[in-house]
């Protein structure tokens, strides 16, 4: 989580748009969940485990409509689960913001960890 906070700190001086997601996969263990998130986002995202369960995911340059970003994120996770032969209910919460408006990285990550999630049924993007 420290690496993710450090990245957020560095990004605050840019004009990039950021999306932070809280991702909870309820029907797989932490290792399988990490494999799915890694497969879904590879080098295009950075993620860390949350102490409250699930993962924090940082995507950079997501200045399209937040609903589209959310749908694409959900679809990527479900595609990765399917590729790994896994099925899981998916719960997601998101924060979309220009980098300079993120504020203190530790505070925003704590806020993200405590956000309520929305469940996405398997096969539905949004």
């Amino acid at each position: 989580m420290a690496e993710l906070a450090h990245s957020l700190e560095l990004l605050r001086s840019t004009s990039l748009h950021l999306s932070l997601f809280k991702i909870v996969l309820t029907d797989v263990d932490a290792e399988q969940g990490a494999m799915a998130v890694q497969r879904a986002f590879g080098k295009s995202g950075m993620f860390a485990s949350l102490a409250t369960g699930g993962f924090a995911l940082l995507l950079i340059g997501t200045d399209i409509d937040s609903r589209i970003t959310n749908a694409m994120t959900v679809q990527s996770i479900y595609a990765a689960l399917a590729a790994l032969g896994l099925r899981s209910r998916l719960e997601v919460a998101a924060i979309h913001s220009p980098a300079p408006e993120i504020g203190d990285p530790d505070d925003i990550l704590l806020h993200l960890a405590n956000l309520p999630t929305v469940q996405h049924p398997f096969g539905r993007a949004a």
Side-chain angles (χ1 to χ4, degrees), residues 1 4 8 19-24 37 45-51 53-59 93 109 112-113:
M1 188 64 90
L4 190 58
L8 284 172
S19 292
L20 281 167
F21 289 91
K22 175 182 177 181
I23 298 170
V24 179
V37 174
M46 174 181 242
F47 73 97
S49 295
L50 292 168
F55 302 93
L57 170 69
L58 169 62
L59 298 177
L109 289 171
L112 179 71

Side-chain angles (χ1 to χ4, degrees), residues 31-66:
E31 184 178 323
Q32 291 170 322
M35 288 185 338
V37 174
Q38 176 65 39
R39 183 173 187 110
F41 302 101
K43 296 181 192 269
S44 65
M46 174 181 242
F47 73 97
S49 295
L50 292 168
T52 57
F55 302 93
L57 170 69
L58 169 62
L59 298 177
I60 300 169
T62 55
D63 54 355
I64 55 176
D65 185 288
S66 61

Side-chain angles (χ1 to χ4, degrees), residues 93-106:
I95 299 170
H96 304 281
S97 176
E101 297 175 18
I102 284 290
D104 180 74
D106 291 324

Side-chain angles (χ1 to χ4, degrees), residues 64-111:
I64 55 176
D65 185 288
S66 61
R67 293 171 297 178
I68 294 171
T69 301
N70 292 351
M72 290 171 39
T73 300
V74 167
Q75 286 178 332
S76 294
I77 294 167
Y78 277 131
L81 286 167
L84 293 168
L86 301 170
R87 284 184 65 106
S88 176
R89 285 184 303 257
L90 170 63
E91 297 178 16
V92 177
I95 299 170
H96 304 281
S97 176
E101 297 175 18
I102 284 290
D104 180 74
D106 291 324
D107 288 347
I108 197 71
L109 289 171
L110 179 61
H111 177 68

